[in-house]
Each structure stands twice: as structure tokens, then as C-alpha cells.
Amino acid sequence: MELSLKHREARRNGAGWLAVYAASVFAFLYLPIVVLIVYSFNRDGVGGFPPQHLTIEWYRQLAGDQAIWDAVWNSLLVALAATVTALALGLPAALALDRVSFPGKALFRRLVLLPLILPGIITGLSLLMLAVFAGMKLSLWTVLLGHGIALLSVATTELFAGIQKMDRAQEEASLDLGAAYWRTFWRVTLPNLRLPLVAAALLIFTLSVDEIAVSFFLIGRDNTLPLEIWGRLRRGMTPEINAVSTIIFVFSVALILVSYRLRTRGAREPEGAADVLQATFQGDQP
Amino acid sequence: MYSRAYKAAVALPPLFWVALFLLLPYSLLFAHSFWSVASGAIVRQWSLHNYAELAHNWMYAQVLFRSMKIAGAVTLLALLLGYPLAYYLSFCAGPQKQLLYQLVIVPLWVSYLVRGYAWKTILGSDGVLNGFLQYLGIVSTPVEFFLYSPFAVVLTLTHIYTPFTFLPLFASLEHIPRHLVEASQDLGASPRVTFWRVIFPLSLPGLLAGATFAFVLTLGDFLAPLLVGGPSGIMISNVVVSLFGAAYDWPLGAAISVCMLLLVVGILFAIERLEKRWSFH
Amino acid sequence: MAPLLNIRSIAKRFGARHVLHDISLDVNPGEFLTVLGESGSGKTTLLRVIAGFEQPDAGEIWMAGERLDTLPPYRRRVNTVFQHYALFPHLSVFENVAYGLRVQGVAKSEVGSRVEKALGMVKMDSYVASAPSTLSGGQQQRVALARALVNRPRLLLLDEPLSALDANLRRQMQGELKTLQREVGIAFLFVTHDQDEAMALSDRIALLRAGALEQVASPREIYSRPATAYTAQFIGQANLLRAEIANGVARWGALAWPCDAAVGPADFSLRPEHIRFTAAPPADDSHTVCFCASIVRQIFCGATDLLEITCQSGHRLRARVPSRGVLEGEYRFEFSAADAVRLREGGER
């Protein structure tokens, strides 16, 4: 009895230390974000301590900064187009992986997933070479191409997981009731994949807005937002960058909340991102 | 069940797209690595001299070695931070589990660039950390070595990849059936023994996945060194970037990229093997 | 009468595994035909081949003079009730049932009346606006039936449709299914692993074993004249007697009965309920086999007792007798020679 009490106490102690450790990891993860947000309201610039003279001056400056808003607009355009492209190709790719056998399928599966795990620089450079080879001028179009191919892996993995979870008999029932393949696709397959489609779209959109490693090599005269910020960092740092980062942060969190809502409503385990990561390693079962 | 037309309709567009925009570019990268540059133009003559250059010039191996050291350090730190966190969430967090999980995910979606930038504002000589230390009177003059050092690169990348490492760790811990833990306790094992003999071995696939992610993505990183690394924090991808930029030696840059690609694919291949052996399905 | 569906030498394999070997089977118009088999016997695959979800590797299927197996599933005038119903979760009950009519371009006014009639037939007309997920298993089952029948298929395929229901509901649905089939007059091809269900519902049973047809006959025929040892044991219980035939007499231990088959070994099936107690001394009648046996075990089954008995020669049998209290010791038993059914050879596969 005494022994088990001791035992339990030891366990509680262990859990206590672990809780403290976990709390410090959280602190580490959130420290830069908090600093970033706090200093976006700091009149005296991005450094120093403590922050003084809180102001929204930087947000006001940001509001009048045409170059930033152009970049935001470009980023949104690219992200929207990249989402559409990645889904439009990722859905057939996922369907093909699920139900078509063709020579080179294993290679195809690995190739599709490669940009997810490969350092962005390799994908970016290869596409740069293609652009030069084909005589394409670098522009937002080449950036879109880069995102379209890099994020195809995300679309394919997410949608493949959705197809695997779908009830097969649904499509069979539709065919059985006389709807041919195209109709079955529109009336049954697509509605059944609604949640994975929306989840994948949100994920791809967010990743595209953030993307920098691939875009770095493919960008032309017009900047996306991350590259605009990148360019400014070389010239010097002002809290205006904190301000725009804060806005992106709030925007991203809002998107996550939406996608989380969708996921839980679809009664899926909230591990989509982990699924994507893990699938990358298991080439034969994306 | 599916007709030939259906199969062609779903398989051909992605196949075509992947062949054109993935296979062809990678092949071009490969081809460039065997070409050379003469008076500012690429000469399409096949030779191994780029690889010979990489083998002979000690500088490249040194930078690669440093990149691997940094990647190793980041991986280790990310695991040391991520594993206890994942364990705590999975086994001790109780009803707060979902909320805490989301809290780990949120930083993952904060732009990579923004997080690098935040560290830059913290670590700089007139940054937040130095301001804080001076405010407390611990130091009187700013500490210079926080920023522009391998330390800054490791810190920044650890911050970026810890949530990445956490995800598969958490998933694998969550998938451990709880009755196994109970069985171990029932058979007289203390929590410590249960952890090392039951939980840890079963979480190895997740550990492997997380470690691979952190290592591979760090290895190819070039933005963090540019942001916070300084000259002593230069990594292999920075060499590639400069060869593609100012130095204008695409073939040599391509050769380094091919080496990186092979290294990464080799690691993934080895990990896949290991993971097959370590997963109990 | 020409058969409605004509299955000719169908074979199907998945990789190296042969799932169906040389299946030939006819389905007559308006009949209730059950394909009965253990799990893994290939019964669902056979159904899926007919519906068009799987392509056979060999053989042909014809329906009413038209070749069926080359048509895609959506061109076959065959509908399926799926094992787990496969109702479309994003459509209401009404839209689920209307689905087939809409994709075939049936006029709007007609869709409404036909759907309502079909739902009325399965007593689900008050649920038209419900979402499938709000229905119970039995209700979903009815909607699935209506969704298939509303298209007026020539043949309805049912893939273990009752297996997901609990025992009581299942018995009730069996009754309704049979009544419904009589009303609509459509031929049903029903797949199940449950022999009682097969016996209760079917006009004919096709017993499938490891991908080949073992016997096709009416329930009574298949029960009273099983063709093989497998059939005898799969449908009901049976004693298998490995007898030796010589001079027009079959001998199994000390028991003997007339049999005009060729000399050599032969297997017989004897149902436990055909063995009964007898008080009379052995008659001179060679068509009744009498013997003494002691009771080894008695299992009480309500109205009957199942007895395990050992003959004096040491051979064991099972007998089913009306319950009448605890039995011990040796008794005299008899059975009619006609009830010992000679089985086809090569029962083992």
C-alpha cells in the first residue's frame, strides 16, 4: 500500500516536471511570435527593451504602402491559381493512384511526393532551368508553375487519403443505378470528397502564400509578399514588417480555425498535416 | 469496373504534368551538372569535371560537413523539445489535449520568413534580447555573437522544425493502444520501464519520420543562413545560390544540387527500410 | 420458359487466387434464387461480376438475349442492394430513390410519383425528406430496396442485405422481402452465408463452395437429397456414413441396407432426425435398419434432444429425437433405408 502510494507520488512528480518542460517548449515556440506582435506597436523600432510608446503608426504606414499591397495582391492571385491547379491535377492523380494500374506507377507516386520532402532549392532551380530551357520569361506565371508542381504533392496526398476513406459502394451504387462515369464523378465522387477537397484547398492556399524557397528562383519583376518582405529585410528592418507579419499571422490562424472546424465536422482525426508528412516517407502508401 | 477511357482521363493529365514539370526539370538539373561554362555561356559538352572539382576542392566538403553538423544539431534539439512535448500531450494532457495540439500547430503556419525575421529582431546587437539583458544590468555592452553565427542558424531552424518533428511523434504516440501500457503496468513494470520497453519502441516510426523531416529540410535550407547566419553560418545551399547568382556557374551549382538530391533520396530510402523494420503492422 | 439470366462458364481470379471456377447458372424470370456459401466462397464476387463491378476472366453472361458482361455497370438492367446499403449521405431519402430515374432522364412529374410509390411499397413514405444518416439500419435497408426497385430492373441483386441487422429485425425483414418479391414479380438473386435464411426465402438455392457450384436445387430437394458430403453438412446437420457396397447391399459396421449401386465404397448422408427410437424387435423388413446403441451425450435443444450414440460396433451417430427427459444407457434405434442418401463421389476438394 505504502509502496503504491510512493509510486503514485513519483509518477505525479514526473508528470509535474514534464508539464513544466512542456510549458517551456511552448514558451520557446511562442516567444518570437509574441515579440513580433508586440514590437509591431513599438514606436522606437524593432529592437531594444522594454518596448515603449505603443503606437499604430506602423500599421498606418503599412496601409499606405502600395508596394506591399501589390505584393499581397500578387500572392493571393498566385495562391488562388496554385490551389486550383494543384487540386485540378491532384484529384485525377489521387484517383489514378487509387484505381488505375499503369507502368511506372511506383515512380510516378514517388515523383509526385518528392517536392514535399526535397529542399525547395532543388525544385526551384530545376524549374528555373526549365524556364530558361523553354525560353520562358520569369514572372508570376513561373512562380505559379512552381507552386502548382510543389503543392501537387499536398493535394495528391490529402485527396488520396480522402478517397481511401470513402465508401467504395457509393460509386458502385451510382453506376448500378445507371449513372455513367462522368455523372458518377460529379454526383457522387465529388460530393463525397467535399471535406478533403476544402481541407486540401485551405492547406495549399496557406502554404502557397507563405512559400519562398521555390519562388526565390522563379520570381520576375512582380514580387509575392514573402519576396517583397525578403527584399526589404536586406535594406533594413522597420516595425512595418512586424505589422504585415502580424496581419499574415492573424490571417493564417483564421484559416486554420476554419479548416479545423471543417475537419472536426467531418469527424476526421485532426492529424491531416501529420498524415501528409508521414505519407511522404512511406512511398508505397501515400 | 472503370472503363479504359475513365482510366486514361484520370491518369494522363497528372502523368503529363509531372513528366513535363517535374521529370524534365530534374533531368535538366542532372544534365547541367555534366556541362560547363565558358566565357559566360553554358557549353553543352558532357564531362565529369564539375564532380571532379567538388571532390578536389576541400571547401565544398567542408561546407557540406558544416551543413550536416547544423542539420544534426537541429534534428537533435527538435527531438529533445518535440518528444517530451508530444509525450506530455498524448499521455498527460487529459481533456486539454486537442487545444494544446492546436497550439503546437499554430506556429507551424506562421510564415517561415516571418519566424526567421522575428529571431533576427531578437538576436541582433541592438535586438530585443540584448535590450533585455542590458535592462536587467546583466551586460553593459551588447553581446555580438547572438546573431550571425551557426548558433543563430541552429536556434532559428530548431524553432521552425520543432512543430514539424512534433507532428509524427504525436501521431505515433497517439496510435499506441492504451491497453498495452496498462498491460505493462499490470505485469509489474514501473512507468519508467513501461516507457523504455513499450512506449519508446512503438514510437520509433514517428521519431524516425520527425527526425528525417528536420534533418532533410535543414540540410537544404539557404534562407536562415542568409537571414541570421552570417559568413560563419554559410550552408551548402548558399553555395549553390551564389553559383546560380553572382558567380554564374550553373553547371557546378547543378552538380552540388545533384549531390544533395542523391543524399536526400539516399536518406529517405534508408529511412523507409528502417521504418519497415520498426513498424509492427 | 427461357431463363432470364444465363451465366456461362464464368471464371475469375484475383492475382494467383482463383475466386470463381467455371460457374454456369440460370436465373428464371420471377424466381428467388439464393447463392449460398461460406465467406470466401466467391458469392459476392459472382454478384459483382453480374452487376459489372468486376470483369470475368472467362465466360459470358446473357440476359434476355443480350450479352451482359461486355456492358458497363450503368447500362445493365440490373440493380443492386448493397451490403451496407451505400445510400448517398449527401442526398435525402427522396433524392436517393430518385437518383436512378433522374440519371436516366425520366420526366420530372413521373419521378415524383414513382419515388413515392416505391417508398410506399417499403413503408418509408413518411421519411422522404430525411437524411440517410438519421435512419435506423432497418429503415436504411428499406430505402436501399426502394432505390433499386424504383428503376424496375429485370433482376435485383442483393448482397447479404440483412447481415447488418439484429436477429429480430432480420427475421421480420426476411418475411417482408419475400412478400415484396412476390408483389413486384422481379427475379431476386440473393447472396447470403446464412443457410436458414436461404431455406426460408428461396425458390432455389445455389450452393457455392470455394468458387465452384456444389449443388443447385430447391430448398427441400437440397435438404433431403444433398448431392455431396459438403452440402449435407453445410445445410442442416448430417451423419456421414462411409459404407462398403457389395451384392446390392451397403454395409457400415453392423448396419446394412439394400443399395443397387456398383461394388465399392460409397458415402451416405443420414439426417439425425431420421433416426428414431423403436421398441419392436428387428423386423424382417430390409428397408428399415434397426440397431442398438448407447447414449454418449445428450444435448437439450428445447423441443428436441440431440443424442450422440455409439453402436455396438463402435461407430458413432447423431440422432434427433423429441425431448422426453434424461436418457441413459442402451436403446434400440431404427431408420428407413430410403433416408440414407447416397452422395456423389469426390466430395473433397
Side-chain angles (χ1 to χ4, degrees):
Chain A
M1 186 63 204
E2 201 184 327
L3 195 89
S4 88
L5 256 179
K6 250 188 186 164
H7 209 98
R8 200 179 291 172
E9 207 167 289
R11 245 173 91 183
R12 202 176 300 146
N13 267 337
W17 283 114
L18 198 58
V20 172
Y21 190 88
S24 14
V25 177
F26 271 115
F28 170 66
L29 291 179
Y30 276 89
L31 174 78
I33 299 169
V34 171
V35 167
L36 185 85
I37 295 175
V38 169
Y39 279 82
S40 74
F41 298 103
N42 187 27
R43 195 192 66 189
D44 299 337
V46 294
F49 190 88
Q52 282 164 333
H53 311 295
L54 297 188
T55 169
I56 57 162
E57 173 56 28
W58 303 109
Y59 286 87
R60 194 169 297 142
Q61 252 186 49
L62 178 67
D65 191 334
Q66 196 50 44
I68 288 267
W69 292 113
D70 286 347
V72 167
W73 179 241
N74 291 339
S75 270
L76 292 180
L77 274 184
V78 168
L80 197 67
T83 307
V84 172
T85 314
L87 289 181
L89 288 152
L91 184 56
L95 288 169
L97 286 178
D98 178 67
R99 53 189 60 162
V100 185
S101 53
F102 50 89
K105 186 171 172 180
L107 177 70
F108 173 72
R109 173 164 42 206
R110 276 158 208 274
L111 264 179
V112 167
L113 292 177
L114 212 48
L116 197 61
I117 183 70
L118 226 46
I121 185 172
I122 296 181
T123 310
L125 283 178
S126 323
L127 284 167
L128 173 63
M129 288 172 170
L130 179 73
V132 171
F133 182 75
M136 273 190 281
K137 246 181 82 184
L138 294 183
S139 66
L140 289 179
W141 287 103
T142 45
V143 175
L144 167 62
L145 183 65
H147 289 195
I149 196 77
L151 298 173
L152 176 65
S153 44
V154 177
T156 309
T157 339
E158 280 272 296
L159 295 175
F160 184 80
I163 292 170
Q164 294 274 300
K165 283 176 191 162
M166 190 172 89
D167 177 12
R168 297 300 154 124
Q170 293 279 322
E171 283 180 314
E172 288 173 0
S174 170
L175 292 169
D176 187 73
L177 293 168
Y181 297 110
W182 187 236
R183 263 216 186 141
T184 296
F185 175 79
W186 282 108
R187 287 184 167 234
V188 174
T189 315
L190 219 50
N192 265 290
L193 292 176
R194 206 175 53 216
L195 283 173
L197 273 169
V198 174
L202 287 172
L203 192 59
I204 294 167
F205 190 86
T206 324
L207 290 175
S208 170
V209 169
D210 266 5
E211 213 290 326
I212 179 159
V214 173
S215 322
F216 190 87
F217 299 97
L218 299 174
I219 198 74
R221 224 185 45 230
D222 299 317
N223 271 340
T224 58
L225 184 59
L227 284 162
E228 176 68 27
I229 295 176
W230 178 258
R232 288 177 185 225
L233 286 184
R234 322 207 98 187
R235 280 181 264 139
M237 306 186 291
T238 73
E240 200 186 331
I241 297 176
N242 293 51
V244 71
S245 303
T246 302
I247 292 175
I248 305 174
F249 174 68
V250 172
F251 182 70
S252 303
V253 170
L255 266 187
I256 301 161
L257 286 179
V258 172
S259 80
Y260 181 58
R261 271 308 236 324
L262 284 171
R263 266 173 205 288
T264 46
R265 217 180 54 188
R268 280 185 57 184
E269 288 176 56
E271 286 167 17
D275 285 346
V276 175
L277 301 196
Q278 267 185 326
T280 321
F281 299 102
Q282 298 154 356
D284 21 27
Q285 30 183 225
Chain B
M1 169 162 95
Y2 301 100
S3 68
R4 191 167 288 208
Y6 177 93
K7 289 177 177 175
V10 297
L12 288 181
L15 266 175
F16 186 69
W17 175 264
V18 163
L20 194 59
F21 297 124
L22 214 53
L23 203 54
L24 181 58
Y26 286 153
S27 311
L28 276 173
L29 184 77
F30 211 68
H32 269 83
S33 77
F34 296 104
W35 294 342
S36 54
V37 170
S39 53
I42 287 165
V43 184
R44 292 182 186 173
Q45 254 166 6
W46 303 89
S47 83
L48 281 170
H49 88 269
N50 290 317
Y51 292 99
E53 165 76 8
L54 292 183
H56 285 131
N57 193 333
W58 191 234
M59 193 272 286
Y60 298 109
Q62 223 171 357
V63 179
L64 181 65
F65 188 58
R66 183 197 298 146
S67 309
M68 287 175 83
K69 265 202 309 201
I70 290 178
V74 169
T75 307
L76 197 65
L77 283 171
L79 286 178
L80 282 177
L81 294 178
Y83 199 107
L85 187 66
Y87 181 87
Y88 178 77
L89 254 68
S90 185
F91 285 91
C92 314
Q96 270 91 49
K97 192 192 275 186
Q98 278 311 312
L99 176 72
L100 291 177
Y101 176 81
Q102 290 307 315
L103 276 178
V104 184
I105 300 290
V106 167
L108 192 64
W109 299 130
V110 179
S111 158
Y112 170 102
L113 184 62
V114 166
R115 282 191 283 167
Y117 164 74
W119 280 108
K120 197 179 169 92
T121 68
I122 292 172
L123 298 174
S125 58
D126 52 357
V128 178
L129 181 58
N130 270 316
F132 182 66
L133 292 176
Q134 283 169 307
Y135 177 75
L136 292 182
I138 295 174
V139 296
S140 51
T141 52
V143 181
E144 297 287 347
F145 67 80
F146 287 149
L147 195 60
Y148 302 127
S149 64
F151 162 76
V153 176
V154 170
L155 186 69
T156 304
L157 289 174
T158 301
H159 181 253
I160 288 169
Y161 291 121
T162 296
F164 269 105
T165 316
F166 164 87
L167 280 176
L169 278 172
F170 181 72
S172 72
L173 287 172
E174 281 290 275
H175 286 149
I176 296 176
R178 290 312 189 253
H179 58 78
L180 293 184
V181 177
E182 286 161 8
S184 166
Q185 284 167 354
D186 183 69
L187 294 168
S190 68
R192 179 194 297 263
V193 173
T194 301
F195 174 77
W196 286 111
R197 306 193 76 152
V198 177
I199 297 173
F200 186 72
L202 291 176
S203 70
L204 278 177
L207 188 113
L208 215 49
T212 314
F213 230 87
F215 189 85
V216 167
L217 291 181
T218 307
L219 193 64
D221 196 275
F222 64 97
L223 293 159
L226 285 179
L227 264 176
V228 298
S232 62
I234 288 293
M235 289 170 69
I236 190 73
S237 294
N238 297 102
V239 178
V240 178
V241 171
S242 68
L243 284 172
F244 269 79
Y248 197 72
D249 191 347
W250 285 26
L252 188 58
I256 298 177
S257 302
V258 166
C259 291
M260 261 164 63
L261 194 141
L262 292 179
L263 187 64
V264 169
V265 169
I267 291 171
L268 291 181
F269 186 72
I271 292 295
E272 202 179 296
R273 280 289 157 91
L274 264 185
E275 196 173 13
K276 281 220 174 95
R277 190 181 307 165
W278 284 355
S279 61
F280 302 89
H281 295 302
Chain C
M1 188 166 50
L4 170 71
L5 187 79
N6 183 224
I7 301 172
R8 300 178 187 166
S9 304
I10 287 292
K12 174 76 189 169
R13 62 191 156 72
F14 292 121
R17 208 159 52 85
H18 289 264
V19 184
L20 296 174
H21 319 250
D22 195 24
I23 303 273
S24 293
L25 180 67
D26 287 347
V27 182
N28 297 317
E31 93 170 316
F32 198 123
L33 176 66
T34 297
V35 176
L36 176 64
E38 299 169 303
S39 60
S41 60
K43 54 191 190 306
T44 296
T45 305
L46 177 60
L47 201 81
R48 291 171 60 82
V49 166
I50 298 169
F53 306 139
E54 307 283 357
Q55 275 301 307
D57 295 321
E60 294 174 3
I61 302 176
W62 290 72
M63 188 163 79
E66 184 188 29
R67 184 155 177 193
L68 202 65
D69 57 296
T70 49
L71 294 177
Y74 51 89
R75 293 256 181 73
R76 302 187 185 197
R77 290 216 44 199
V78 162
N79 284 119
T80 308
V81 175
F82 291 83
Q83 188 169 10
H84 299 287
Y85 324 134
L87 296 180
F88 303 125
H90 57 293
L91 301 179
S92 67
V93 165
F94 184 93
E95 284 303 324
N96 260 282
V97 178
Y99 188 94
L101 301 176
R102 292 210 198 282
V103 297
Q104 284 155 34
V106 171
K108 276 221 167 88
S109 52
E110 200 188 331
V111 169
S113 61
R114 275 174 73 175
V115 169
E116 304 221 332
K117 211 176 125 213
L119 281 170
M121 211 159 56
V122 296
K123 304 188 197 86
M124 287 295 291
D125 34 358
S126 49
Y127 293 90
V128 280
S130 306
S133 57
T134 61
L135 302 181
S136 71
Q139 291 170 329
Q140 291 189 28
Q141 176 68 75
R142 289 159 198 263
V143 176
L145 262 169
R147 184 177 72 174
L149 286 173
V150 75
N151 305 295
R152 297 176 189 150
R154 292 210 176 102
L155 171 66
L156 187 71
L157 307 174
L158 302 102
D159 184 9
E160 305 215 23
L162 305 180
S163 67
L165 304 179
D166 60 47
N168 278 332
L169 193 55
R170 193 174 173 146
R171 260 191 297 281
Q172 184 195 334
M173 282 301 293
Q174 283 176 7
E176 288 185 21
L177 205 57
K178 184 73 187 169
T179 316
L180 190 65
Q181 196 255 339
R182 288 273 171 270
E183 270 173 33
V184 296
I186 291 173
F188 278 27
L189 187 69
F190 185 91
V191 158
T192 185
H193 64 270
D194 182 334
Q195 32 139 336
D196 294 329
E197 196 166 275
M199 302 281 263
L201 292 174
S202 321
D203 296 322
R204 283 194 305 153
I205 294 176
L207 183 63
L208 200 60
R209 176 192 183 194
L213 282 174
E214 192 82 358
Q215 187 172 1
V216 184
S218 72
R220 277 174 208 287
E221 165 94 12
I222 212 166
Y223 187 81
S224 58
R225 319 281 334 154
T228 64
Y230 179 82
T231 310
Q233 288 185 312
F234 191 77
I235 296 179
Q237 284 179 311
N239 293 297
L240 288 185
L241 317 181
R242 167 142 281 214
E244 202 57 51
I245 299 176
N247 307 324
V249 176
R251 281 184 195 285
W252 184 69
L255 311 185
W257 58 92
C259 174
D260 52 6
V263 174
D267 288 332
F268 288 83
S269 153
L270 178 62
R271 299 284 180 197
E273 65 270 25
H274 289 144
I275 300 177
R276 54 193 176 264
F277 288 108
T278 176
D284 205 18
D285 171 17
S286 66
H287 291 283
T288 305
V289 184
C290 281
F291 58 99
C292 279
S294 52
I295 293 171
V296 180
R297 190 143 46 136
Q298 178 180 19
I299 300 164
F300 177 58
C301 312
T304 60
D305 278 330
L306 186 64
L307 305 177
E308 267 183 54
I309 56 177
T310 311
C311 306
Q312 281 156 340
S313 58
H315 291 76
R316 286 205 170 201
L317 287 170
R318 278 175 298 173
R320 188 176 290 282
V321 295
S323 291
R324 54 173 211 196
V326 178
L327 301 170
E328 264 173 351
E330 207 175 60
Y331 291 85
R332 188 174 286 279
F333 295 90
E334 66 172 21
F335 63 86
S336 308
D339 290 330
V341 180
R342 199 161 70 83
L343 302 170
R344 203 168 66 206
E345 285 176 33
E348 293 311 312
R349 204 183 286 129

